[in-house]
Amino acid sequence: MRTIGLIGGLSWESTVIYYQIVNQRVRERLGGSHSANSLIWSVDYTTVEDLIFADRWDEVGELLADAGVKLAAMGAELLLICSNTFSRVNDEVERAASVPVLHIADAVGAEVNAGGMRRVGLLGTRFTMEEPFYRDRLTAHGFEVVVPERDERELVHRVIFEELIRGVLRPASRDAYVRTIDGLAAQGAEAVILGCTEIELLITDKDTAIPLLPSARLHAEAAASLAMND
């Protein structure tokens, strides 16, 4: 079994999901008291948050690449950036660490294709919903991606940074997200990608009329499968 290196703290609340799911899948597959060989490098989120809002992505890439190099030096054989937004620097981390970095959009895209879906909605930060680095990676898997209208995108983005990343879960925000998902369903979305790992803390399939695709869980499950299949 390969050792998984998690670049986390993006935020730490969602990194907990990664650690839990990776170990659950290993135990389910191997039985007994098995758990994953894993390492975590957790960054101070405020540092990277300030950089992305200043559009200093080169420095973000350097910081996360340094984390990847350190994990590889400690024995990580497969890396994950535990975030959708920060997957923008996936390639930079892989080049620096010389270790495969499993892209979160590829894990999500594989699940969409496995479900035979041709049109899906996407929620996430403004960076994830509006910039091409993530949406293009998804559509390369052969399906269409739709996002909310501008006002709704701003609401989704604000809730992520002002509430979810800080561990705040408000029923009013959950209701607003559900209304946004209903709007995506009206546009023909067969499911909605929770393209920010913290959104999984706020809503589940029980809240919505169409299926949700939880990116953190799918990413972690794919990593566990890769690690065990080596």
Side-chain angles (χ1 to χ4, degrees):
M1 177 166 49
R2 280 193 280 182
T3 299
I4 299 171
L6 303 174
I7 301 175
L10 304 166
S11 66
W12 69 260
E13 282 90 353
S14 62
T15 305
V16 172
I17 296 173
Y18 275 86
Y19 186 70
Q20 181 181 44
I21 295 299
V22 165
N23 283 289
Q24 284 177 345
R25 293 300 172 264
V26 169
R27 185 167 60 190
E28 288 169 6
R29 169 89 170 269
L30 302 181
S33 56
H34 281 287
S35 59
N37 294 327
S38 61
L39 300 162
I40 300 176
W41 189 276
S42 188
V43 304
D44 178 359
Y45 190 78
T46 294
T47 302
V48 290
E49 183 180 52
D50 290 346
L51 290 174
I52 63 174
F53 280 103
D55 198 30
R56 292 159 60 184
W57 282 99
D58 287 349
E59 292 174 62
V60 173
E62 291 170 4
L63 191 152
L64 297 190
D66 181 64
V69 168
K70 289 172 178 173
L71 287 168
M74 289 187 285
E77 300 162 280
L78 172 66
L79 297 178
L80 281 74
I81 299 173
C82 300
S83 167
N84 292 274
T85 297
F86 291 94
S87 70
R88 177 169 170 169
V89 298
N90 205 91
D91 292 346
E92 290 92 322
V93 174
E94 188 165 85
R95 283 195 297 269
S98 299
V99 171
V101 182
L102 176 61
H103 201 294
I104 190 169
D106 291 339
V108 174
E111 182 70 11
V112 173
N113 283 332
M117 292 173 273
R118 310 312 307 160
R119 186 179 176 91
V120 296
L122 172 64
L123 298 183
T125 66
R126 185 170 62 243
F127 309 104
T128 301
M129 290 186 288
E130 297 180 358
E131 296 184 19
F133 73 91
Y134 192 83
R135 292 175 62 178
D136 287 357
R137 188 91 180 200
L138 288 173
T139 56
H141 287 267
F143 53 84
E144 185 179 0
V145 176
V146 293
V147 298
E149 298 297 329
R150 181 175 179 177
D151 288 349
E152 292 175 312
R153 294 199 303 269
E154 289 299 323
L155 180 145
V156 170
H157 179 87
R158 179 186 59 75
V159 168
I160 290 168
F161 284 102
E162 295 182 8
E163 299 175 21
L164 302 185
I165 283 170
R166 301 177 184 183
V168 177
L169 305 175
R170 292 179 175 158
S173 296
R174 179 181 297 109
D175 293 343
Y177 271 47
V178 170
R179 288 193 297 272
T180 300
I181 290 169
D182 288 342
L184 291 171
Q187 293 184 54
E190 301 166 75
V192 170
I193 298 166
L194 304 185
C196 170
T197 53
E198 284 78 22
I199 298 177
E200 298 169 44
L201 303 171
L202 183 67
I203 57 174
T204 69
D205 278 320
K206 296 178 182 178
D207 302 310
T208 59
I210 60 174
L212 302 179
L213 298 168
S215 58
R217 293 175 185 272
L218 295 172
H219 199 197
E221 288 172 354
S225 294
L226 278 175
M228 288 185 288
N229 287 339
D230 184 36

